[in-house]
Amino acid sequence: MMASPPEMNKTKDEGVEPLKKHIQNWQDLLVEALYNIAPLLDHMIAAHVLTQENYFEVQAEKTPQNKARKLLEVVQHQMDEEKALHFIECLKKCKEHYPRLKDWLTTDAGIKRGPTEQKLRKQMSELCLRLGHLVTPISMRLFSGGTLSQFELEQVQASTTPFLQNKTLLSLCLAKGEKTCLSFYQAFHSEDSMLAKDIDEAGFQAPTGSLDFSVGHPVPVVSRPFESLPPLTTASVASLSSCSTAVEETHPLSAQLQDLTLKMEYGGEIELRPEEKELIREVTRLLGLELGSGMTLNLCELGLALGLPRGVVRESLFELESAGDLTQLAAIVHCFMEKTQDQNRLLHKIGACNTKRLMLSERGRLLLALLQEVTADINSSFEDVLQKCRHLFHFVMRDCFAEVEEDPSGASWTGPLATVRLLKKNVLVDRAVIQELEDCWGEETAESYQQSLRILAQLLRDLFPLLDSVEFDGNLQGEIYRCKPRRLHRVTKFKGLPPRMIYRVLTRKGTHSVSKDATGSVSRTAVTRQYKDICLKVANLLAKVSTEGNSKDLMQAEISDIIREIQLTLSKPEFTYDSFDAGIKLRLLSLVEFDPIALDIPALITLHWNTVSILAKYLKTSDRHAFQFNIEYVRMQQCLASLQGICSVRDPVTIDNGVEEVFCFLTSGPALFLVCLHCRGYRDGKYFMCNEPLCFQVFGLPETAMQEVESLGGKVLTVEKGKMWLREDCQEGLKTRLEAVSQSHSTLLQEGSCCFLVKSFSTECEVKFTFKNNKITATAEKNSEVL
């Protein structure tokens, strides 16, 4: 049994945070128990709970007790309640090292909590299951009101399913305490008071008088998670429901693996051996993922991370009858083992995988769920079913085009096949996947649509990664990693709106409350009302961007009038491709052209709500709207390390008459490498592109000419086997002088964008790039030196 807690201070102190107070009350036990602090520190560093500076401060202490005291001091004075909760979670992950804390980690009786926090803890499981996609408008309300930070909002949106998004949001609220829990319930009642009342009546009620929600009518939202949808197969016979209630998948992995067989589209099947199934279970555990029949991950990325060629991975997935996550994972594991017969090699590679690279954006997951909705109907050849499929595929393909095309405004939208042919020209799209789609859709029949489902699902998985445009992939071509952004980022003149203006529109009362039928499903009438409310919010948001504004009161207008107002607004000069994100504009046009009820696809309403969320996020003021650093390539210099990835640490910031942004470079070990980049954007309404100071490469240079070139001026970055890289400095005319020397020694001179030589001291290093006075500079930020 664990001892009773020490005597607590009886003086009421409203400023004390309950979790930190709980940790402080048990300081003596923690100091005594944390005699080997290294495992805990490793977990905290990996979870980004502890900074490197704090880590070294703790390790600098001489005795285990003092190290523990120093760590607890950091928790008390440098962490908020959320970070303190993460500290406890890290402690639980390595609890086998601290047997004295076994009982302490299983109880929280000493933590003082307010009535609303107690209510949220009691209702958490029910809320995770039933909130569904209400998580989007609720989290937007909390963000707009300053309760959630931008990072916390992105944490919620990064979760792979609505259930996990709800869990993340509620965990954040609980970590922040009573006031934040109260804000959550206020936002919840604003969005769907009927659901909130139903949950209250089914379970825990708050103490009388503790809550008061006088917020008027709710904004209705279809609440539906998609984990419970049938797997995407050509043989699926489940019936389509318009808006069913939430059901979280509960089948344990063991039961799914026991019955798992890889069924092929052509009728064959692969029986998995027991040892393969056990290996699949271990891979799932190492990845830390909950897999099922749904489509929430891009398992093709996993195959590439294992070293398999893209074509081999693609074929192994396209041959399957099902496109569910677990089936695809099993196929990739089977393919790897068939080729290598090396289980240890597989597990080693899995352990090094970045799981986030497998995850999809919220938009991608919703589009895949929409495909699952219509799977059963495709088996019918009735004209009305085929027409609905055409509308669905047209909507999906337009959304793909909006995701990858810099300026999609001039495209012709005659149908899904026409959009496929447009996508063939885009470099961000896998041409083999597009060619397969074009072959399937040559004839628009039920059979061709059936054959295209898994291919279209893979296209969505490829084009909608969770990692955004500040993530770069390095594709090795010879000695150089050619870099391209994971997702397209459009640079425009748009500067953004103050969050308070967006908040007022989003929190304006809805026109109707939700209606439900006898089964508890949201009715088609409710979807119609929601669609009008969505269009009304979009019209009012766009009016804030337009210089003319909107003098009309659209609250009582017909839906057709609101749609015409949106189309008219989007035709104004403020919404041309160089003034406003053309992809978001195309999605807004799709929103008004694809009426969920008119097309008999009620599930489209969830995508339309997501479009509102994307619009609201884009409209916020950000320096990223009008500026971008673009990394062209990375060249590893005389080292065995490889480039693993590049990502922006934080958004660009305009400061001190310049713009700066910090990038993190991930390598397989300490490395020396050249980074070539340029920047682009809008300044005073005019487009610019800067790649200065320029870099020059001299090839075929004899050793006798090396000193002569060095004496010409410029910064010598590196010299290697008759090759020299130089960067312009304050002296002008370097190019002219180099051309003269190059001609006299018959060497090749190549001009390129700005380059910097980076030396990293670990697998991660950070470099800050700054654009100022029409030049780019670079400085070391973390674990690096920059020349």
Side-chain angles (χ1 to χ4, degrees), residues 191-329:
E191 293 299 330
D192 197 332
S193 60
M194 292 179 64
L195 179 59
K197 182 179 179 182
D198 185 58
I199 291 176
D200 279 345
E201 291 174 350
F204 182 88
Q205 293 283 352
T208 305
S210 63
L211 297 174
D212 179 20
F213 300 111
S214 52
V215 292
H217 297 293
V219 176
V221 178
V222 171
S223 176
R224 177 175 188 172
F226 293 97
E227 299 77 51
S228 57
L229 291 169
L232 182 60
T233 71
T234 57
S236 175
V237 292
S239 59
L240 175 68
S241 60
S242 19
C243 295
S244 61
T245 53
V247 179
E248 182 69 13
E249 181 133 16
T250 57
H251 298 297
L253 181 61
S254 300
Q256 295 181 72
L257 285 174
Q258 185 175 355
D259 302 326
L260 184 61
T261 300
L262 299 181
K263 295 182 179 180
M264 303 297 155
E265 181 189 11
Y266 54 80
E269 62 180 41
I270 298 174
E271 289 287 346
L272 298 172
R273 302 187 305 276
E275 54 269 28
E276 278 187 297
K277 293 182 179 180
E278 190 58 38
L279 186 57
I280 293 167
R281 185 202 308 277
E282 180 63 14
V283 168
T284 304
R285 187 190 68 80
L286 288 173
L287 291 174
L289 300 171
E290 296 182 11
L291 301 180
S293 60
M295 298 185 296
T296 60
L297 302 168
N298 186 1
L299 274 307
C300 184
E301 283 286 336
L302 178 64
L304 299 179
L306 295 178
L308 297 171
R310 180 178 290 274
V312 171
V313 176
R314 186 172 55 236
E315 288 305 313
S316 67
L317 299 181
F318 285 178
E319 291 294 326
L320 297 171
E321 183 184 75
S322 169
D325 290 339
L326 183 58
T327 305
Q328 289 199 343
L329 175 66

Side-chain angles (χ1 to χ4, degrees), residues 358-379:
L358 312 182
M359 296 180 181
L360 307 179
S361 67
E362 183 181 13
R363 187 77 178 186
R365 296 193 303 274
L366 292 177
L367 288 166
L368 284 167
L370 196 59
L371 282 183
Q372 289 176 284
E373 280 276 350
V374 300
T375 300
D377 280 350
I378 295 181
N379 290 314

Side-chain angles (χ1 to χ4, degrees), residues 552-567:
K552 299 178 183 177
D553 182 6
L554 299 173
M555 183 66 75
Q556 303 303 323
E558 295 293 329
I559 181 67
S560 57
D561 294 330
I562 301 174
I563 287 175
R564 276 194 294 272
E565 185 64 29
I566 292 173
Q567 292 170 329

Side-chain angles (χ1 to χ4, degrees), residues 590-663:
S590 291
L591 185 152
V592 298
E593 292 173 23
F594 289 81
D595 183 328
I597 297 302
L599 301 178
D600 194 26
I601 311 176
L604 270 175
I605 197 71
T606 309
L607 268 298
H608 292 338
W609 272 117
N610 182 251
T611 298
V612 176
S613 175
I614 291 172
L615 174 64
K617 183 177 180 180
Y618 172 73
L619 291 180
K620 288 186 175 66
T621 303
S622 171
D623 290 324
R624 189 171 291 284
H625 288 314
F627 183 84
Q628 180 190 33
F629 278 115
N630 200 328
I631 297 176
E632 298 177 12
Y633 68 80
V634 171
R635 187 183 191 279
M636 308 305 288
Q637 297 292 119
Q638 300 176 348
C639 65
L640 298 177
S642 59
L643 178 68
Q644 304 292 315
I646 308 167
C647 61
S648 173
V649 176
R650 54 181 176 268
D651 282 351
V653 176
T654 300
I655 190 169
D656 294 334
N657 298 315
V659 185
E660 57 187 47
E661 185 171 6
V662 178
F663 283 87

Side-chain angles (χ1 to χ4, degrees), residues 732-746:
E732 295 183 359
L734 176 62
K735 180 179 179 180
T736 303
R737 296 192 295 274
L738 283 173
E739 286 175 339
V741 172
S742 178
Q743 188 173 6
S744 64
H745 292 281
S746 300

